[in-house]
Amino acid sequence: MTLSASETRIVITGAMVVLFLAALEQTIVATALPSIANSLGGFDLLSWVVTIYLLTATCATLVLGKLSDMYGRRIVLNACIVTFLAASVLCAVADSMIMLIAARALQGLGGGGLMTLSHATVGDAVPPRERGRYAGYFATVWATASLLGPTLGGFLTEYAGWRWVFWINLPIGLAGLLITDRVMRRLPQQHRKSHIPYADIALFVAGSMSFMLALTWGGSAFAWTDPRVLGGFALSIVCSWMFFRRQGVSAQPILPPGFLKDAVIGPTLVAAFLAFGVYIVMAVLPPTYFQLALGAPASQVGLLMIPLLLSATIGALVSGRAVTWTGNYKQPPAIGLPLAVLALAILAWEAEAISPLAASVLMAFVGAGIGTFFPVSMTAVQNAVDPADMGAVTGALGFSRSLGGAVAVAAASALLLSLIAAWVPGAGHIEGLQDLVRQPLDEAERVAIAQAFGVLFAALAGVLLLCLAVFSRVAGRELRSGAVDAAGEGAE
């Protein structure tokens, strides 16, 4: 069964609404954190309000993508929306920090599913040749939510109270549910119902959570050599080894071994890990660079970061359109990634002397270059699988991106802190970059910090070169331009 043009637009609109909801939740809470701490206490637990959401959302991407292949996209997507909204209510009525953190963990499970299944739904509704264009639209939604979240969160916190950063999710989520539910019953799907692989899920979650927690703790809450950090990495290795062993013999693997061996999917997952890692580092750490190294006032830092976010969206839109026009998904990153490498190289070379405005312009080129990769990666992996594996491969790509971001930020922060501790006298005691923001710096110390960031930018350029080399090994396959090829039940 094929959707009409109007039905396709409805499904895509609904998917964009739920993606906006999930993306908004990653940024809207940040500005409300001080008010939350004043209201609920438990200041020492405050960082977990953000951390636990990211942890559970990352783990949910792969698992819920696979479950949607087994039991139907509509059922699992609706369950994710309901879970997300129920958790939002629990967050809004929380009377303790522990209750809020527990509700945020549940909310992350729903949010991770929304991010994966919104993209998988596009794969169900749109032929591969057209998906690049819609992936560009989704990048626009993501950027809009990222820009709007802190502003909306601050406005709601000041004029309505912090609990409204959670209440606001209800009308948005209900709108997404109403928009998509009826038409999604007509989506062509192939269900391969089977028993839920609880043991596989437990191993995957344990391995992922322990690894992410070790990354979160290392170098901040505890030293990298602390037994709790090392134990987290050790547990992750053991659980991951057991997980991959089971995937090779499972009738319904969560991460089919064939994905990693495929000439498109395997290298694309690695390239996504690298590209998204660089992008997240450039979104997280440069505000400190602007303030400490270049002397930009805190009030201007947000404005200086906007070009990076907007240019990534433009790069994604142009790339998606190009894929639709040409049918060649390898071409846009072959142009965009070298552009980003060049901009990073200039940033590295001029890190000490460049003006904040010039640095912001160069970051715009970095964003535009990396942005060309985002729609291409989704289009390539979805085109490489049978429609019955659409959720699994979409979840695998989402997990690779999230893991790349977590690893890259941890590695980049550790690199910066080690260089600053060595080059800035008296900085050996600092536990994080924010500690530097709160203390006065002389000109020599600012130069040393700029040099440290120069090393970081050079390292990121090297990572993008590696990403380009890996992506060059991705097999070029023809994008199907006909109707979505999936037989089976259209409703659950």
Side-chain angles (χ1 to χ4, degrees):
M1 182 183 298
T2 303
L3 299 182
S4 66
S6 61
E7 289 173 329
T8 298
R9 285 193 294 270
I10 292 173
V11 168
I12 298 301
T13 300
M16 291 172 70
V17 169
V18 298
L19 177 66
F20 177 83
L21 180 65
L24 184 69
E25 196 59 29
Q26 293 192 350
T27 57
I28 194 173
V29 175
T31 49
L33 290 178
S35 295
I36 291 174
N38 290 334
S39 175
L40 301 181
F43 185 81
D44 56 324
L45 299 174
L46 190 61
S47 63
W48 282 100
V49 175
V50 175
T51 300
I52 196 65
Y53 180 92
L54 297 177
L55 290 175
T56 54
T58 298
C59 293
T61 54
L62 187 60
V63 173
L64 293 174
K66 178 61 181 180
L67 292 180
S68 73
D69 288 335
M70 295 169 58
Y71 294 96
R73 208 81 67 220
R74 185 182 70 88
I75 284 179
V76 180
L77 178 60
N78 286 354
C80 288
I81 295 175
V82 171
T83 299
F84 186 92
L85 296 183
S88 296
V89 172
L90 293 176
C91 290
V93 301
D95 57 4
S96 69
M97 190 64 75
I98 295 297
M99 180 180 175
L100 178 61
I101 291 171
R104 285 283 286 173
L106 182 63
Q107 192 182 42
L109 291 177
L114 297 183
M115 287 186 282
T116 294
L117 299 182
S118 59
H119 286 96
T121 299
V122 175
D124 292 332
V126 180
R129 182 69 178 260
E130 299 293 325
R131 288 176 196 159
R133 173 159 56 96
Y134 290 103
Y137 296 160
F138 275 48
T140 303
V141 170
W142 186 273
T144 301
S146 299
L147 291 171
L148 180 62
T151 302
L152 181 59
F155 178 84
L156 290 173
T157 300
E158 181 174 355
Y159 294 102
W162 65 264
R163 297 181 189 275
W164 276 94
V165 303
F166 300 110
W167 287 123
I168 193 66
N169 294 330
L170 268 64
I172 301 173
L174 290 174
L177 183 64
L178 293 174
I179 290 171
T180 60
D181 183 68
R182 180 180 62 83
V183 178
M184 283 190 69
R185 295 174 182 270
R186 293 173 50 80
L187 275 178
Q189 296 181 24
Q190 292 179 343
H191 301 168
R192 297 186 297 194
K193 292 184 179 180
S194 178
H195 295 295
I196 296 177
Y198 293 106
D200 293 6
I201 292 174
L203 287 171
F204 173 76
V205 171
S208 301
M209 289 285 281
S210 57
F211 183 76
M212 298 281 283
L213 281 172
L215 283 179
T216 302
W217 286 336
S220 55
F222 310 107
W224 287 104
T225 55
D226 188 277
R228 284 161 288 197
V229 176
L230 296 178
F233 285 129
L235 178 61
S236 174
I237 292 172
V238 172
C239 291
S240 298
W241 177 78
M242 295 175 65
F243 171 76
F244 281 108
R245 284 275 301 230
R246 289 184 62 89
Q247 296 307 284
V249 298
S250 175
Q252 285 289 345
I254 297 174
L255 181 62
F259 282 4
L260 303 180
K261 299 175 183 177
D262 186 87
V264 171
I265 301 172
T268 300
L269 293 181
V270 176
F273 176 91
L274 298 171
F276 201 75
V278 172
Y279 179 75
I280 292 299
V281 169
M282 290 300 294
V284 171
L285 296 183
T288 306
Y289 169 67
F290 282 125
Q291 285 186 262
L292 297 183
L294 303 185
S299 59
Q300 294 181 9
V301 169
L303 295 175
L304 291 169
M305 292 299 297
I306 289 176
L308 173 76
L309 298 173
L310 291 181
S311 64
T313 302
I314 294 171
L317 285 169
V318 172
S319 176
R321 286 284 186 177
V323 171
T324 299
W325 291 335
T326 67
N328 185 342
Y329 53 72
K330 295 192 65 175
Q331 204 171 57
I335 299 171
L337 291 180
L339 176 67
V341 170
L342 178 60
L344 281 169
I346 297 173
L347 266 175
W349 185 262
E350 298 289 339
E352 302 170 40
I354 197 170
S355 69
L357 180 58
S360 181
V361 171
L362 285 172
M363 286 175 58
F365 284 104
V366 175
I370 300 177
T372 62
F373 178 81
F374 294 151
V376 162
S377 59
M378 187 66 68
T379 300
V381 298
Q382 289 186 343
N383 184 66
V385 298
D386 183 273
D389 285 322
M390 190 73 67
V393 80
T394 304
L397 181 62
F399 179 75
S400 180
R401 289 178 173 181
S402 298
L403 189 63
V407 171
V409 169
S413 299
L415 173 63
L416 278 177
L417 288 174
S418 63
L419 292 175
I420 291 172
W423 295 349
V424 178
H429 65 283
I430 63 171
E431 297 181 354
L433 293 174
Q434 289 305 311
D435 291 345
L436 286 172
V437 176
R438 291 188 288 266
Q439 68 183 46
L441 299 170
D442 59 33
E443 186 60 27
E445 290 172 331
R446 289 188 183 277
V447 170
I449 292 172
Q451 291 173 338
F453 271 95
V455 173
L456 173 64
F457 294 142
L460 294 178
V463 173
L464 278 189
L465 280 176
L466 177 60
C467 174
L468 183 61
V470 171
F471 190 72
S472 69
R473 301 182 63 84
V474 172
R477 294 178 184 169
E478 182 180 356
L479 294 175
R480 299 182 298 275
S481 57
V484 181
D485 181 19
E489 298 175 349
E492 293 83 5

